[in-house]
Amino acid sequence: MLTELQFHRYLEEHNLSQDAIDYIARVRSSEPSRMVGTHARTNICSWTYSTKMGQTISSESRKGEKAFVLLAEYDDMVVEIWDQLEPVTIIKTIKTGRRQRYSYTPDFLLLKNDGPCVVEVKMEEEVLEKIQCNPSDWIKNSDGSYQHLPAKEAFGKAGLHFIVYAVPSSPGFKVLNIENLIRNRSYESRSLSTSELDRVFDESFCWSLYELRKRLKLECYSEILKAIDREELFFDWDRQLISEPKGCFLVRHKAHLEFVSDFKGVGVYEQSDSISVNAARCPTEKQAEAAIAKIERIRSGEAGRSVRRWKAQIKEGEARGVSAFEALIPRWLYSGNRRTRLTHSQESCLKKFLLEGSTLYDNESRFKSTYRLYIEYRSYVKDIDQAFTPVSKKTFTKALERIAPEKLAKLKGGRRAENAASAPSNPLDRQLKADIAWQRVAIDHFLAKIYLVYFDGDYPYVMRPWVTVMLDLATSSVLAFCVSFKAPSRVSVARVMRECVRRHGKLPREIIVDRGADFRSVYFYALVAHNMIELVLRPASHSRYGAEVERLIGEFKTQWLSQRPGNLTDYKNARSFDGESKPDKFAVMSAYDFYCEFERFVQWRSFNPRGIISESPAKALARHEKEFPFMAIPQELNEEYMVASSVDQGKYKVDYARGIHIDPMWYYNPELRQYQGQKKSLECRKDPDNPHVIYVLVGREWIQCQTSSINRFSSLDPVSQRVESLLVTESYNDKKLIKQQADEELVGILREMTEKSEDRRSMILEVSSDESDKMDSGEGQSIFDALKGAEVSQLATEDWEVKHVWDD
């Protein structure tokens, strides 16, 4: 960031107008004109720390503005970056063609070495859409750049250059590479010498990042990344990731990049086209035998009417360009009269009866017999017109069988039954199944048929847990799971996403989920967009989708849980047990044991055969990760992701003496003190995994606030940490009810003790200190004489405050 002296020199160097100077000065001296995300619904708001500025830069979209911030941070031509500028008035064209005044807030102000400029950042497809919808205000230049004419005119009057930065549809690789290089700048490591690089690249003109590190015997990639940053090494920014070292190929000279493709493998997928071949060109064996027999009879010199007809067919086929064999193939497929013999009135009446006028199911939801339906049909026809002729029972039966099964199922069971009975879709129109690990996963919830203890007093208090599972569809591997006492919510989704990152350090490319409220929440959309994950919502009430996770749930119930002494799944054999020995009487387990057992089940399942695959899920996952490392999205469980995956809780009041009180605990961070007297409440996000951590929006950045138990929590084993998070946060309200019942019992106990106490109560007197000193000095009077003139008062006891255990 420029000092005041450097800033004044910058203004003089570029000879700016007074309006431009005033605008830039107001931007530099004031806070951002608005807080990003106030009206955002699906876009990701980011706060990125800028080394150039020494502060955070806010961006309202991750793909657009965040990418631009990183590019500007990496660009040596940029000396300052300012976000959320002061709004200006522009005149733009509305739909009616009339021009109208509007307030416009640009995204960024850049102070570059070649002069200042105001920037509007938009996705390229959004700009193209604006050009199509409003060509009066948006245009595309001959050099491929874009212009927003109203904003350009408004800032042009002030003497400032305005540009539209159109972010390409897929700028991800370059942005991620720049982000890694920026982070590497702050890492202290030695610089590779020119002689070292020349000596290695004399052996081979191209090295992968992985092999180059091994060849140079380096402990990490930092030295090589700094050489890339200095433009001493080059790679394909748009096609390779430096975060995937084995797939990132480096060259010494930029001109050699075009030859790199000859040294690396390229995964290519070619979708097959639809094939439709006439049956005459590929006849069945029976048809081919008939055609060959005809040809042999012609060649034998046989004469006759049939032979003459066959020769005519051959001659006609030659005119069409087909062989004699194809011309003589029997056309049995075209034989027969396929026209209906029913009149239009009979067809419409029959169709109306079957789909509208009849009740195909009785009160017990069972099919009526075909005969009973036919009798009702005849009665229905007579009621319409006595002279109308009904169809025969055989025709009626065929018409009934031709009714689409899904229509009959809808009458019986609604939309879900209709979807289950519907015909399969065309395989060529279906989405291809995942065949590489991390290509596509499914997330779903299920209510486990077991009870977990959440409070143990005179007797255990229990609840049934919800389990959220992330399943890889290519290998059928369970990538992550979490347990919750509450119904599926944003917290469950956040936990399983974090668990995946914690276990594997990566996230899938695509997530398939149902249309539950938790998956359709703005939070979940923002979370997957944060990692550029493709989100797929499977059809509602369709049992054919999500079968992979449902199969996993079924396996856990039948192959594992039903084998345990206590469960709710062994309903088939329950009648063979006495009432006190039924499995559901013992379906109680501690949360710790349930976590351990489900983990063991997942491990056991990952090394067993699955379907037609010749290797276990664990082996397939490991092989795919080795062969296709680019498929998964790398993701560290860093501070940014911790905040991004936390759940919004709203604004909470701040007690600057104790911190922020949420549910049973107080959270505090010394940084809160700097806002004492300025803010009464702050925006908070709750960590879904750690009950002792929340994130508070202070200024333009999120800070972490902790409870006094944070150090003890860090010393627990991983399973105990998850169990404590489950028991502390999700059973708090239930424990409050238990506490309320206990308090009510206490009132009864105190009342009973009061009734049994003595009616008379002793008076406790307090003697003043002066009289006590006289008695101690022995001035010749007895204690009773001294008490006659002493000042006495009733002893005042301190108030006792009843305090909950979890109020600490």
Side-chain angles (χ1 to χ4, degrees), residues 492-556:
S492 304
V493 176
R495 282 181 178 174
V496 77
M497 296 285 285
R498 275 197 182 185
E499 189 69 17
C500 179
V501 176
R502 185 178 291 108
R503 288 172 179 258
H504 306 282
K506 58 188 71 173
L507 287 169
R509 290 286 177 181
E510 182 179 327
I511 297 178
I512 301 177
V513 295
D514 59 24
R515 295 179 179 269
D518 51 333
F519 293 125
R520 291 187 291 109
S521 63
V522 176
Y523 169 79
F524 185 60
Y525 286 153
L527 185 59
V528 297
H530 179 84
N531 298 102
M532 295 177 287
I533 300 174
E534 183 180 355
L535 175 63
V536 177
L537 298 177
R538 64 183 189 227
S541 303
H542 210 307
S543 59
R544 294 183 181 176
Y545 292 84
E548 297 84 0
V549 180
E550 295 292 340
R551 194 175 300 117
L552 166 68
I553 297 170
E555 291 174 3
F556 178 66

Side-chain angles (χ1 to χ4, degrees), residues 605-748:
R605 182 182 179 276
S606 63
F607 288 98
N608 283 283
R610 304 294 311 164
I612 62 175
I613 302 177
S614 59
E615 55 187 348
S616 67
K619 291 291 184 179
L621 181 64
R623 180 176 63 83
H624 289 175
E625 288 179 339
K626 182 179 180 180
E627 295 178 356
F628 309 99
F630 58 86
M631 186 55 64
I633 299 175
Q635 175 62 61
E636 299 177 3
L637 198 61
N638 49 29
E639 294 178 356
E640 180 182 347
Y641 188 73
M642 296 285 282
V643 175
S645 58
S646 298
V647 181
D648 291 325
Q649 294 291 302
K651 287 190 175 182
Y652 282 82
K653 291 185 178 180
V654 182
D655 184 344
Y656 289 96
R658 302 186 68 181
I660 299 175
H661 187 220
I662 301 179
D663 290 337
M665 291 174 289
W666 287 88
Y667 300 86
Y668 184 71
N669 188 308
E671 295 186 33
L672 294 176
R673 297 285 293 185
Q674 61 179 312
Y675 284 89
Q676 185 169 0
Q678 301 180 30
K679 292 185 178 294
K680 295 182 179 180
S681 60
L682 293 174
E683 194 78 26
C684 299
R685 288 185 175 184
K686 199 169 185 179
D687 193 293
D689 293 328
N690 191 342
H692 304 287
V693 169
I694 63 171
Y695 300 95
V696 183
L697 183 59
V698 177
R700 291 180 292 176
E701 64 178 352
W702 294 90
I703 65 170
Q704 189 182 80
C705 295
Q706 305 94 2
T707 68
S708 57
S709 301
I710 186 65
N711 293 328
R712 180 197 60 81
F713 182 80
S714 65
S715 67
L716 299 177
D717 65 280
V719 176
S720 296
Q721 288 182 345
R722 291 166 174 82
V723 170
E724 180 165 325
S725 176
L726 178 69
L727 297 179
V728 170
T729 60
E730 299 201 353
S731 61
Y732 171 66
N733 292 330
D734 297 276
K735 290 177 183 177
K736 286 176 62 177
L737 295 177
I738 299 175
K739 176 61 178 171
Q740 181 178 337
Q741 295 175 0
D743 290 341
E744 293 174 357
E745 293 177 1
L746 178 61
V747 173

Side-chain angles (χ1 to χ4, degrees), residues 187-200:
Y187 183 79
E188 296 183 1
S189 59
R190 74 178 184 89
S191 298
L192 295 174
S193 64
T194 304
S195 59
E196 285 181 288
L197 295 176
D198 289 340
R199 183 172 62 254
V200 171

Side-chain angles (χ1 to χ4, degrees), residues 184-356:
N184 187 60
R185 286 178 173 180
S186 60
Y187 183 79
E188 296 183 1
S189 59
R190 74 178 184 89
S191 298
L192 295 174
S193 64
T194 304
S195 59
E196 285 181 288
L197 295 176
D198 289 340
R199 183 172 62 254
V200 171
F201 279 90
D202 284 341
E203 301 175 10
S204 174
F205 91 100
C206 178
W207 289 86
S208 70
L209 187 59
Y210 174 78
E211 293 293 339
L212 184 60
R213 180 182 68 85
K214 292 177 59 178
R215 176 64 182 81
L216 294 173
K217 299 180 181 180
L218 302 174
E219 294 184 357
C220 65
Y221 295 101
S222 178
E223 293 91 337
I224 304 176
L225 297 186
K226 287 190 175 182
I228 296 174
D229 204 2
R230 296 192 303 268
E231 296 187 351
E232 296 177 357
L233 296 176
F234 302 90
F235 74 105
D236 192 340
W237 289 78
D238 298 319
R239 298 179 183 273
Q240 299 172 7
L241 286 173
I242 57 178
S243 58
E244 296 290 346
K246 293 181 180 180
C248 180
F249 292 86
L250 306 176
V251 295
R252 195 74 169 89
H253 303 283
K254 199 170 185 179
H256 294 168
L257 286 176
E258 60 179 307
F259 305 105
V260 171
S261 59
D262 298 334
F263 291 86
K264 71 170 187 175
V266 179
V268 178
Y269 168 73
E270 295 181 359
Q271 186 175 3
S272 59
D273 297 329
S274 176
I275 298 176
S276 178
V277 180
N278 194 308
R281 300 188 64 86
C282 297
T284 64
E285 185 176 359
K286 187 176 181 180
Q287 290 174 330
E289 289 178 353
I292 293 173
K294 294 177 183 178
I295 294 175
E296 291 179 351
R297 291 175 65 181
I298 294 175
R299 291 176 178 175
S300 65
E302 181 180 340
R305 183 178 178 182
S306 298
V307 174
R308 290 194 299 270
R309 186 175 69 251
W310 297 338
K311 290 182 178 179
Q313 291 177 359
I314 293 175
K315 188 175 181 180
E316 181 183 353
E318 291 177 352
R320 301 197 314 268
V322 298
S323 64
F325 172 77
E326 184 177 347
L328 294 178
I329 291 176
R331 299 187 178 184
W332 298 330
L333 298 175
Y334 302 99
S335 62
N337 183 8
R338 291 173 173 78
R339 292 180 298 178
T340 179
R341 298 180 182 180
L342 299 180
T343 64
H344 177 73
S345 301
Q346 286 177 317
E347 284 187 348
S348 59
C349 181
L350 180 59
K351 183 178 180 180
K352 187 175 181 181
F353 169 79
L354 292 176
L355 298 180
E356 301 177 10

